Amino acid sequence: MELVTDGLRFPEGPIAMPDGSVILVEIAAGQLTRIAPDGTKDVIAKPGGGPNGAALGPDGKIYVCNNGGFEYQESGGYLTPAGIAKDYSGGRIERIDPQTGAVEVLYKSGDFDCVLRGPNDIVFDDQGGFWFTDHGKTDYENRCHDIVGIFYAKADGSYMEEVVFPSQNPNGVGLSPDGKTLYAAETFTCRLMKFNITEPGKVAPDAGPGGPGIPVYRPAGYKFFDSLAVEESGNICVATIGECGISVISPAGELVEFVATPDIFTTNICFGGDDMMDAYICLSATGKLVKTRWKRSGLKLEYLNK
């Protein structure tokens, strides 16, 4: 793997832009950063809290899931989250102008009777709306953990709905190439789940063991699932923590391959390049963005690489 840049403060949510740059969040720094192809960094905006997942919207702006902030611990060269921030600022969805750095709160907890604790990852559909997960918060001091869900919202700020509840601390979210299946990766159960989309923002009431959604895959070993990206073929590439790497899973629930990485908090993958075979991977605990050539093409996302 080729190092693109280092010195980042827990990078996540990478977006491979058409100009060859990568826009990502630095959760621990509370900022949105652009990484040039030569590795130089430029801060776009500082929304504060805990900017997490990010996606390019139909208006050319960056939509960010802000989890409100974590506490962190540093040990042995690793920076890792350690529960809810003492100055937790609330869960929200933000819209950021990449040209000016202007930050707008599009949705916040309480809007449309929705509770947002720790919005995490986001994906747009072809209708101009977006799905996002709420990973929730862990409060070690008070020995509690949030019960959370999966949401759908319109990009113009006019509507948000909790579509799936409860969900077991969902993290990564993505859509199948035909847009008919929603995938969500649960962190602590380490399950990849799927939901059959019936219309924009709605899913069928299918349920497997343990609640809404249909289990697709769950690995053995010391592993936890984080964010995900989908290949053009339909395979789901899930960033995997613990026994770190990228788990590539077929829609049928078979492990296609496991690509090992050197960071225990390997959290995100996205695809770019003319052939969509440049894979950018966040090695979050060591603060690195790396790049490698993938065996298969990634799926071209809505409003990106069109």
Side-chain angles (χ1 to χ4, degrees), residues 175-178 183 229-237 248-252 256-257 271 275-277 294-300:
L175 292 167
S176 61
D178 63 7
Y183 293 107
V230 178
E231 294 179 354
E232 185 179 39
S233 66
N235 292 334
I236 308 97
C237 303
V248 182
I249 303 156
S250 76
V256 176
E257 66 172 329
F271 296 103
D275 59 4
M276 295 296 288
M277 293 177 71
W294 208 245
K295 292 180 180 178
R296 299 161 298 274
S297 296
L299 180 66
K300 292 184 178 181

Side-chain angles (χ1 to χ4, degrees), residues 29-68:
Q31 65 191 31
L32 185 69
T33 303
R34 185 190 297 272
I35 313 298
D38 65 1
T40 56
K41 293 169 278 192
D42 177 50
V43 176
I44 295 173
K46 285 182 168 289
N52 212 140
L56 184 68
D59 53 3
K61 295 183 179 180
I62 306 298
Y63 289 68
V64 174
C65 292
N66 196 310
N67 65 43

Side-chain angles (χ1 to χ4, degrees), residues 8 37-38 61 67 97-98 133 156 178 230 254 268 291 297:
L8 300 168
D38 65 1
K61 295 183 179 180
N67 65 43
D97 189 325
T133 56
D156 62 4
D178 63 7
V230 178
E254 299 171 340
N268 288 246
K291 175 183 177 182
S297 296

